[in-house]
């Protein structure tokens, strides 16, 4: 696509924003539109003409500057300056003049005492989009981004969004670590970073607990190692286990997806019901084997168990995709040359799995760092950074500076993990899917390995089944916590009562509102997340442009930060003009999109690492632009990664707690926040019943997405199976 | 170019559609709207809001969050408040909000109908918050576990330091829970500072876990996860009425109490309705809702009926809790820091 087309579209967009759409946000909804083109719904041009926003004249002037050349059909490099100018002017004016008049006092000689300026609205959004488009077109006209305007626009647009919704809120929030009682205090900052609460090693020599950093590291490492290991065992069984035997692949998949679609608190609750001091298993052990009742579940073991239950399936999803994407031709070559199965696996399959293994490890590690629900319920005296940060913000002793310093430490841990991953993978290539014809059949697993996998996977399956059995039963009996197992619909009724008024259903149960909002928000954010994530992955993995590393860094940033910090930083950054989003459903959607983005990006990059670049090059040679290559070559090959990203983002949007606990509002409450409230109030049964409903919905959605998008199949498929079965 | 644009447009349209119902519901504002931040159990928040809607026709949007979370939210929203009334939750954060000028001054005409402790709360905060209920501190124990272990039933604070309760007591962490801080302040007032810390050090050996939420120990005692849980008594009553085998103890040395409070947020968008809610929530009929919603605190209106199950203040030795001194930020930091250094850091 040419720079000219893009620049013209951008000009049109910005002009619409200038002349038609209301410049400021509509506080009372669309009813205000009746006042157009005056009142609160006035477009910028009206505001400029009546002089109430005279400082925004540069916007109109810049557009006028860009128009003549574009209309004559020439896209010039100077467009970049005009685009950047538009974005800068709109934001600078928005920040300089807020709800209370002038915010930047040093501008007083220039601006005087301007009237209050509410938040930016649709008009401003269009102008900003236009400005970004012009900036990109200008860059493409200069020959940057391979002179491809499509790539330029994607990079600039994504970069702009990431800056606004990931970087700025975070910097805003973290800068709190530098302040003490509203004054800049570098000494306090240093003291916070090396505080003994974070780094103490007292647990080695005394009965005291260790610093939270050590606790967090230990927990995350254990979780990541065990989850990756389990995920690998499952993936090997699912992909290479052969079609015979007791494994019914469908049930197997459904089963491993179960933990993924569970609200975080519920697994913890089920674990308490099973292994708590008065738990079912504990009671059994006491009655039969005289093993004394203890509280071992509260602390590291319990949190670890709950996290592995949640993370192993994600590792499975990633490794499953990677294993399917490994083209069997190399394995076939190895066995043709006489290598035995074990040797093929050790020297060919395993090394090819390295990127996926690293990705699975990294994901589990980072997820464990950020996990908040499980340590909250099961942590006992075992404190980790995420809970410490939450209580530094929301606890009885409010200290945002301490919270920000702890968040910085958490961030450092995460990036340390990324650095290690990069070190381990090195600069090798992991490409197996090439354009060179057919790939053959995957080799079956070595016997010993298969046995080991089964020995690991099946007990874990039984354990998972027990946990989920508890969750299923728990919602339908009087009180599972105290062992009262008589059947009841009561809990489900409280939450989901439906009455009929005049033939129309009235949803009077207390959980309906939050359920509807949750589904709405998840359904909107999942495709946005998957789309943006895959696009970014493609940009990062396949395009070469300045700032690529920076873009990659920013996509991973939001993942590294615990949800609590994200939530508070969002509410601090987006509660006041120019960008005012709190109290809307939009802030929930944005929060989910940018929080779940890294999963789409990582999955996309891992999958792209295995697709040979020669396919792209073939498309380019035949005259396909970047957009065509993306749509007709890359996207079809990326189907498994897209499914994973869609499913994952839908599911996390329905199960996330910590990030949104500060963002929900009276009108837009979410299911998980409602459940947390029930758990707090001790209504475990209602919490579990609601979770059962959520699980059913998510299961239906995930399976539906999979059906709709379809499973990618690379290679020759299953036709010649009978031959191998006889061998 | 066309397809991504179309995609963008579709996403845009979908987002817009999602926002429409919210926008539409904001209309039709005859008696107006009200946003309530509620910090008691959902079970109590809901009927309160519904009753107010029925009584006045005002459309209420309600969010339920713990008092710590609500405080954080109000602080973060200070420049552009979203909420109108903060109803319920322990008194300390309300006092703190008043101290930080986050809440607005209002003198309700119903002030004369209230108990002294409720109006004293208002006077101390220069009429920025007011008491709506009170609940005494104490503990509950699991009777099944007690008989199984053949331990004599505890009746005083001092009993909790006895060696037979080793690893059997649960209490919240004062860093995160207002309940636990109330316990610290209570013990310091009952015993005097030095003996209180000696007692806390002795009790520390018996504590199996410092929970983060103040109501958690009551739940743990109800299920038998711990033998004794230190909480506000009304939380324990809720568990007992649900059928848990617990016995409730108001300690013999005397005990402290919390005053659940209500404040109007400074800069509320619906100030008139906020004041209407404020007045209504102080009335006897509004406070009578508590008992029907499984909440057994003492109402602050003298004419409101006291739920028969509520732990009555007449039967409890209440100390003269000095909210002004122990609620101040400086004193709180000092006490908690000392507790952390001398008690929490000790060996078990």
């Amino acid at each position: 696509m040419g720079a000219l087309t893009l620049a013209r579209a951008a000009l049109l967009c910005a002009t619409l924003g200038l002349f038609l759409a209301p410049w400021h946000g509509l506080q009372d909804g669309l009813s205000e539109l009746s006042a157009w083109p005056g009142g609160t719904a006035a477009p910028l041009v009206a505001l400029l003409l009546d002089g109430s926003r005279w400082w925004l004249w540069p916007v109109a002037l810049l557009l006028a500057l860009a128009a003549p050349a574009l209309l004559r059909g020439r896209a010039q490099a100077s467009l970049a300056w005009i685009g950047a100018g538009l974005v800068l002017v709109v934001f600078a004016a928005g920040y300089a003049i807020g709800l209370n008049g002038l915010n930047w006092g040093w501008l007083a000689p220039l601006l005087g005492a301007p009237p209050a300026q509410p938040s930016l609205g649709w008009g401003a959004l269009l102008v900003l989009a236009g400005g970004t488009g012009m900036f990109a077109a200008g860059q493409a006209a200069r020959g940057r981004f391979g002179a491809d305007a499509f790539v330029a626009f994607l990079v600039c647009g994504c970069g702009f969004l990431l800056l606004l919704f990931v970087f700025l809120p975070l910097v805003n929030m973290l800068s709190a670590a530098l302040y003490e009682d509203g004054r800049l205090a570098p000494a306090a900052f240093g003291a916070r970073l090396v505080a003994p609460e974070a780094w103490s090693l007292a647990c080695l020599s005394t009965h005291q607990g260790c610093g939270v950093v050590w606790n967090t590291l230990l927990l995350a490492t254990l979780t990541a190692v065990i989850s990756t290991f389990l995920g690998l065992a499952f993936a090997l069984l699912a992909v290479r286990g052969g079609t015979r035997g007791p494994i019914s692949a469908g049930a197997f998949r459904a089963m491993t997806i179960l933990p993924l679609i569970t609200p975080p608190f519920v697994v913890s609750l089920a674990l308490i019901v099973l292994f708590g001091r008065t738990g079912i298993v504990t009671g059994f052990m006491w009655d039969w084997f005289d093993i004394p009742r203890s509280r071992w579940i509260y602390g590291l073991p319990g949190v670890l168990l709950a996290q592995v239950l949640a993370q192993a399936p994600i590792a499975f999803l990633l490794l499953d995709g990677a294993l399917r994407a490994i083209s069997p031709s190399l394995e076939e070559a190895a066995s043709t040359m006489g290598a035995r199965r074990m040797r093929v696996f050790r020297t060919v399959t395993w090394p090819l799995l390295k990127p996926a293994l690293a990705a699975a490890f990294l994901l589990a590690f980072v997820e464990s760092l950020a996990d908040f629900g499980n340590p909250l319920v099961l942590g006992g005296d075992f404190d980790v950074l995420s809970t410490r940060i939450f209580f530094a913000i929301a606890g009885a002793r409010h200290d945002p500076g301490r919270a920000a310093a702890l968040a910085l430490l958490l961030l450092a841990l995460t990036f340390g993990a990324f650095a290690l991953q990069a070190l381990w993978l090195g600069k090798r290539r992991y490409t197996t899917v090439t354009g060179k014809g057919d790939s053959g059949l995957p080799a079956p697993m070595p016997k010993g390995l298969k046995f080991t996998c089964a020995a690991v996977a099946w007990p874990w399956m039984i354990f998972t089944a027990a946990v989920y059995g508890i969750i299923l039963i728990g919602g339908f009996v009087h009180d599972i916590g105290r062992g009262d197992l008589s059947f009841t619909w009561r809990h489900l009724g409280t939450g989901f009562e439906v009455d009929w008024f005049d033939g129309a259903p009235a949803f009077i149960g207390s959980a309906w509102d939050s359920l509807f909002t949750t589904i709405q928000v998840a359904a909107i954010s999942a495709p946005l997340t998957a789309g943006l994530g895959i696009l970014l992955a493609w940009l990062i993995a396949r395009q070469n442009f300045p700032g690529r590393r920076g873009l990659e860094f920013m996509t991973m940033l939001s993942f590294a930060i615990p949800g609590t910090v994200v939530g508070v930083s969002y509410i601090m950054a987006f509660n006041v003009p120019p960008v005012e989003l709190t109290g809307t459903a939009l802030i929930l959607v944005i929060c989910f999109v940018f929080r779940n983005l890294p999963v789409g990006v990582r999955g996309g990059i891992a999958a792209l690492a295995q697709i040979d670049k020669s396919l792209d090059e073939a498309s380019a040679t035949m005259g396909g632009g970047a957009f065509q290559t993306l749509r007709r070559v890359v996207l079809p090959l990326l189907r498994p990664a897209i499914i994973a990203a869609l499913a994952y983002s839908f599911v996390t949007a329905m199960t996330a707690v910590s990030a949104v606990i500060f963002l929900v509002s009276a009108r837009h409450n979410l299911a998980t926040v409602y459940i947390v409230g029930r758990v707090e109030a001790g209504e475990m049964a209602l919490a579990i019943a609601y979770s059962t409903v959520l699980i059913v919905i998510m299961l239906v959605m995930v399976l539906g997405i999979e059906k709709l998008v379809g499973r990618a199949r690379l290679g020759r498929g299953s036709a010649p199976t009978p031959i191998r079965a006889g061998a | 170019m066309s397809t991504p644009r179309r995609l963008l447009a579709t996403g845009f349209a979908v987002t817009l559609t999602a926002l429409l119902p919210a926008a539409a519901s904001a209309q039709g504002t005859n008696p107006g709207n009200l946003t309530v931040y509620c910090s008691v159990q959902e079970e109590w928040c809901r009927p309160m809001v519904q009753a107010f809607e029925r009584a006045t026709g005002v459309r209420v949007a309600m969010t339920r969050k713990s008092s710590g979370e609500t405080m954080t939210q109000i602080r973060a929203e200070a420049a552009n408040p979203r909420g109108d009334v903060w109803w319920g939750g322990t008194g300390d954060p309300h006092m703190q909000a008043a101290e930080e000028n986050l809440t607005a001054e209002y003198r309700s005409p119903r002030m004369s109908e209230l108990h002294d402790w409720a109006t004293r709360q208002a006077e101390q905060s220069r009429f920025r918050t007011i008491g709506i209920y009170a609940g005494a501190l104490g503990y509950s124990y699991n009777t099944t576990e007690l008989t199984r272990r053949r331990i004599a039933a505890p009746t005083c604070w001092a009993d909790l330091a006895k060696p037979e309760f080793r690893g059997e007591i649960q209490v919240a962490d004062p860093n995160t829970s207002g309940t636990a801080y109330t316990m610290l302040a209570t013990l310091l007032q009952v015993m005097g500072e030095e003996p209180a810390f000696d007692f806390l050090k002795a009790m520390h050996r018996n504590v199996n876990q410092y929970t983060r939420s103040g109501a958690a120990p009551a739940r743990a005692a109800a299920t038998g996860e711990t033998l004794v849980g230190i909480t506000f008594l009304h939380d324990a009553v809720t568990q007992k009425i649900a059928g848990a085998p617990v016995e409730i103890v108001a300690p013999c040395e005397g005990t402290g109490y919390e005053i659940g409070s209500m404040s109007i947020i400074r800069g509320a968008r619906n100030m008139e309705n906020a004041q209407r809610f404020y007045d209504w929530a102080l009335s006897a009929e509004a406070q009578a809702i508590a008992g029907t919603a499984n909440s057994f605190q003492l109402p602050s209106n003298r004419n409101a009926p006291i739920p028969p199950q509520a732990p009555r203040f007449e039967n409890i030795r209440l100390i003269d809790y000095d909210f002004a001194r122990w609620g101040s930020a400086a004193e709180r930091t000092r006490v908690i820091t000392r507790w952390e250094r001398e008690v929490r850091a000790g060996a078990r």
Side-chain angles (χ1 to χ4, degrees):
Chain A
M1 183 181 60
L4 182 64
T5 329
L6 174 66
R8 280 182 167 168
L11 181 69
L12 182 70
C13 180
T15 315
L16 283 180
L18 177 65
F19 284 98
L20 280 180
W23 181 257
H24 289 300
L26 305 177
Q27 293 291 332
D28 292 334
L30 296 183
S31 58
E32 282 181 37
L33 276 183
S34 55
W36 194 89
T40 48
L44 181 58
V45 69
L47 295 172
L48 290 179
L49 290 179
D50 74 11
S52 59
R53 298 285 182 273
W54 56 266
W55 53 86
L56 285 172
W57 268 110
V59 173
L61 294 180
L62 282 170
L63 282 180
L65 212 60
L70 285 179
L71 293 179
R72 263 185 280 125
R74 285 177 52 208
Q76 289 158 327
S78 61
L79 275 176
W81 293 110
I82 295 177
L86 277 176
V87 174
L88 277 182
V89 167
V90 170
F91 270 104
Y95 278 109
I97 303 164
L99 273 184
N100 306 320
L102 200 62
N103 284 340
W104 293 352
W106 52 273
L107 277 180
L110 183 67
L111 292 171
Q117 192 174 235
S119 66
L120 299 176
W122 296 115
L125 185 74
L126 289 173
V127 169
L128 288 175
T132 315
M134 283 184 208
F135 180 74
Q139 295 294 345
R142 282 182 182 186
R144 301 239 173 91
F145 303 104
D148 192 308
F150 174 65
V151 175
F153 179 64
L154 284 186
V155 171
C156 297
C158 291
F160 178 68
L161 287 177
L162 286 172
L163 267 182
L164 184 61
F165 290 117
V166 177
F167 197 64
L168 278 185
L170 206 61
V171 169
N172 188 7
M173 158 93 199
L174 288 182
S175 61
L178 287 169
Y179 288 88
E180 172 119 35
D181 300 328
R183 274 194 314 276
L184 201 63
F189 174 63
R192 280 169 180 151
L193 278 188
V194 295
E197 71 160 334
W199 298 102
S200 144
L201 276 171
C203 62
L204 297 181
S205 52
T206 65
H207 292 277
Q208 283 171 257
C210 263
V212 270
V213 172
W214 301 120
N215 284 350
T216 312
L217 259 179
L218 179 68
L219 176 66
T221 313
L222 285 176
T223 302
V225 169
I226 299 174
S227 304
T228 314
F229 180 62
L230 280 170
L232 182 64
F234 276 108
L236 283 172
L237 278 184
V239 182
R240 300 289 173 90
T243 46
R244 301 199 307 160
I247 305 165
S248 154
F252 193 79
R253 266 188 85 79
M255 191 78 172
T256 44
I257 285 175
L258 263 181
L260 188 69
I261 57 177
T262 313
F265 283 72
V266 191
V267 170
S268 304
L269 293 183
L271 285 178
I272 292 179
V273 170
L274 279 174
F275 300 111
R277 204 170 66 131
T278 49
I280 297 169
V281 174
T282 317
F284 180 80
M285 292 297 207
W286 167 254
D287 292 342
W288 290 75
F289 303 110
D290 275 354
I291 297 174
R293 298 156 178 269
S294 71
R295 272 189 204 83
W296 65 272
I297 194 83
Y298 299 101
L300 178 66
V303 185
L304 180 64
L305 213 52
Q307 288 192 344
V308 171
L309 270 170
Q311 296 309 319
I314 298 178
F316 164 72
L317 278 185
L318 276 172
L319 291 167
D320 179 72
L323 212 53
R324 274 175 212 282
I326 289 181
S327 166
S329 54
L330 284 176
E331 292 172 336
E332 273 187 353
S335 51
T336 314
M337 289 192 284
R340 302 175 63 102
R341 284 176 178 181
M342 195 62 211
R343 196 174 150 87
V344 173
F345 180 81
R346 199 164 46 79
T347 57
V348 179
T349 321
W350 174 260
L352 282 174
L353 273 177
K354 263 186 164 187
L357 282 173
F361 182 91
L362 194 68
L363 261 183
F365 189 88
V366 175
E367 282 275 6
S368 162
L369 289 183
D371 180 24
F372 165 74
N374 292 318
L376 190 71
V377 177
L378 280 174
D381 286 341
F382 184 80
D383 244 350
V384 292
L385 279 166
S386 60
T387 48
R388 202 47 89 80
I389 293 167
F390 178 80
F391 285 110
I393 292 170
R397 235 176 20 162
H398 176 82
D399 189 347
R402 194 170 127 242
L406 291 173
L408 269 178
L409 290 176
L410 190 48
L411 204 59
L413 288 188
T414 312
F415 288 117
F418 283 117
L420 280 182
Q421 184 211 21
L423 214 66
W424 191 55
L425 286 182
K427 290 210 182 301
R428 290 203 205 94
R429 292 176 63 230
Y430 297 92
T431 307
T432 59
V433 178
T434 63
K436 294 172 195 130
D438 184 55
S439 317
L441 279 170
M445 254 199 297
K447 281 250 159 54
L449 185 65
K450 190 168 167 182
F451 182 77
T452 318
C453 286
V456 169
W458 285 108
W460 188 255
M461 290 283 282
I462 293 170
F463 174 56
T464 311
V467 169
Y468 280 83
I470 291 296
I471 296 172
L472 268 184
I473 301 169
F476 300 96
V477 297
H478 270 107
D479 194 332
I480 195 155
R482 282 200 292 280
D484 181 355
L485 292 182
S486 45
F487 179 83
T488 176
W489 287 109
R490 191 166 53 102
H491 310 305
L492 213 56
T494 319
F496 298 100
E497 201 176 342
V498 179
D499 231 349
W500 291 89
F501 286 124
D502 311 323
F507 301 100
I508 55 176
S510 59
W512 281 115
D513 288 348
S514 59
L515 183 67
F516 289 148
T517 316
T518 307
I519 294 178
Q520 214 176 21
V521 167
I524 295 169
S525 60
L528 289 178
T529 315
L532 197 59
I534 297 290
L535 272 182
L536 274 166
W538 177 70
L539 288 176
I540 291 166
R542 284 295 203 259
Q543 303 295 325
N544 221 340
F545 52 87
R548 192 165 60 100
R549 287 274 147 215
L551 202 65
E552 186 177 8
F553 172 79
M554 270 200 291
T555 59
M556 301 318 286
L557 199 60
S558 68
F559 201 59
I561 304 288
T564 318
V565 178
V566 172
V568 175
S569 70
Y570 265 49
I571 205 173
M572 277 161 77
F574 301 127
N575 185 51
V576 286
V579 186
E580 188 182 333
L581 296 170
T582 43
T584 65
L586 191 60
I587 195 168
L588 296 172
V589 172
I590 291 174
C591 178
F592 283 136
V593 168
F594 287 94
R595 250 184 98 56
N596 298 333
L597 200 57
V599 178
V601 175
R602 281 285 118 183
I605 289 181
L608 277 167
Q610 293 181 328
I611 299 172
D612 194 359
K613 226 181 162 175
S614 64
L615 290 175
D616 295 28
E617 285 156 10
S619 161
T621 319
M622 290 192 286
F627 173 61
Q628 266 187 320
T629 310
L630 179 68
R631 192 167 67 90
R632 310 192 48 175
V633 178
V634 179
L635 283 186
L637 284 172
L638 280 183
R639 267 190 170 186
I642 296 176
I643 298 171
L646 260 182
Y648 181 83
S649 48
F650 184 84
V651 159
T652 21
M654 285 191 84
T655 57
V657 175
S658 52
V660 291
I661 205 159
F662 294 109
L663 298 181
V664 297
S665 48
R667 284 208 181 80
H668 308 284
N669 199 359
L670 290 178
T672 43
V673 180
Y674 180 87
I675 292 176
V676 174
R678 312 277 45 78
V679 174
E680 255 175 25
E683 296 171 41
M684 306 256 182
L686 178 54
I688 294 181
Y690 196 169
S691 306
T692 315
V693 173
L694 282 186
I695 289 173
V696 171
I697 294 172
M698 285 188 276
L699 197 60
V700 170
M701 288 303 295
V702 169
L703 295 180
I705 288 175
E706 212 166 73
K707 261 252 148 19
L708 209 70
V709 186
R711 176 83 47 75
R713 198 174 275 150
L714 308 171
R716 208 187 286 138
S718 56
T721 314
I723 303 169
R724 198 184 39 171
Chain B
M1 187 66 217
S2 67
T3 311
R5 270 289 145 98
R6 216 183 302 143
L7 271 180
L8 271 184
T10 319
F12 200 76
V14 169
T15 318
L16 197 64
T17 330
L19 296 175
L20 271 183
S25 64
Q27 299 168 22
T29 52
N30 258 345
N33 297 311
L34 180 70
T35 305
V36 176
Y37 290 160
C38 184
S39 297
V40 298
Q41 307 92 294
E42 171 105 8
E43 219 180 342
W44 186 9
C45 294
R46 242 166 218 287
M48 272 301 280
V49 164
Q50 281 161 1
F52 180 69
E53 282 183 328
R54 263 199 306 278
T56 58
V58 172
R59 286 181 54 93
V60 181
M62 183 268 291
T63 314
R64 200 224 80 91
K65 275 178 202 167
S66 76
S67 45
E69 284 157 8
T70 308
M71 178 72 192
T72 308
Q73 181 154 16
I74 290 176
R75 210 184 258 126
E77 292 174 349
N80 191 10
R82 304 280 164 169
D84 300 316
V85 175
W86 178 13
W87 182 78
T90 190
D92 286 346
H94 281 270
M95 292 293 268
Q96 216 177 330
E99 216 176 287
E100 292 180 24
N101 200 14
L102 295 168
T103 47
E105 185 183 328
Y106 177 61
R107 285 166 208 253
S108 170
R110 288 201 194 265
M111 199 95 80
S112 56
E113 297 174 26
L114 305 184
H115 283 288
D116 288 343
W117 47 261
T119 43
R120 210 162 46 231
Q121 177 90 340
E123 283 154 15
Q124 280 170 3
S125 65
R126 279 168 295 139
F127 300 96
R128 289 191 176 152
T129 185
I130 197 161
I132 49 175
Y133 60 80
L137 188 75
Y139 55 87
S140 61
Y141 59 86
N142 188 303
T143 47
T144 336
E145 293 289 313
L146 194 82
T147 34
R148 207 165 61 77
R149 280 154 194 270
R150 300 192 192 86
I151 303 175
T155 52
C156 300
W157 289 116
D159 290 336
L160 300 185
K162 287 182 183 166
E164 55 259 41
F165 287 101
R166 180 152 192 125
E168 289 298 346
I169 295 172
Q170 218 171 79
V171 61
D173 186 332
N175 277 310
T176 61
S177 151
T179 310
Y181 177 72
T182 309
M183 181 197 75
L184 284 189
T186 297
L187 289 173
L188 263 57
Q189 290 173 77
V190 169
M191 304 178 176
E193 179 130 356
E194 293 315 316
F197 270 99
D198 289 341
F199 166 77
L200 284 165
K201 276 178 230 167
M203 191 178 83
H204 175 68
R205 278 193 282 279
N206 292 345
V207 172
N208 56 51
Q209 186 186 341
Y210 290 100
T211 63
R212 297 184 182 93
S213 141
R219 267 192 326 271
T223 55
E225 290 295 310
T226 184
L227 177 54
V228 178
I230 301 177
T231 53
F232 285 119
L233 294 179
H234 48 83
D235 287 333
V237 171
T238 311
Q239 297 292 340
K240 190 174 182 181
I241 284 175
V246 290
E247 211 49 65
I248 292 160
V249 179
C252 64
E253 297 99 329
T255 190
Y257 56 99
E258 66 158 350
I259 297 178
S261 304
M262 167 170 65
S263 312
I264 294 179
I265 294 159
R266 168 169 297 277
R269 295 180 183 199
N270 306 294
M271 187 53 93
E272 210 166 288
N273 282 334
Q275 292 177 353
R276 234 165 129 188
F277 183 90
Y278 198 92
D279 295 341
W280 175 82
L282 292 177
S283 69
E285 63 265 39
Q287 298 199 346
I289 295 170
T292 62
N294 266 332
S295 300
F296 306 107
Q297 290 91 332
L298 282 183
S300 68
N301 190 306
R302 276 196 295 265
N303 304 321
I306 299 172
Q309 305 92 332
R312 299 209 163 216
F313 275 16
E314 300 89 278
N315 311 330
I316 298 172
R317 261 189 75 186
L318 281 186
I319 59 167
D320 186 16
Y321 196 104
D322 187 350
F323 285 99
R325 174 175 173 199
W326 300 99
S328 79
E331 190 69 5
R332 168 191 290 268
T333 313
R334 185 188 71 81
V335 170
I336 294 181
T337 317
R338 179 163 182 202
W339 176 82
E340 220 165 45
R341 215 177 42 237
E342 295 181 15
V343 179
R344 182 72 202 259
R348 296 240 179 107

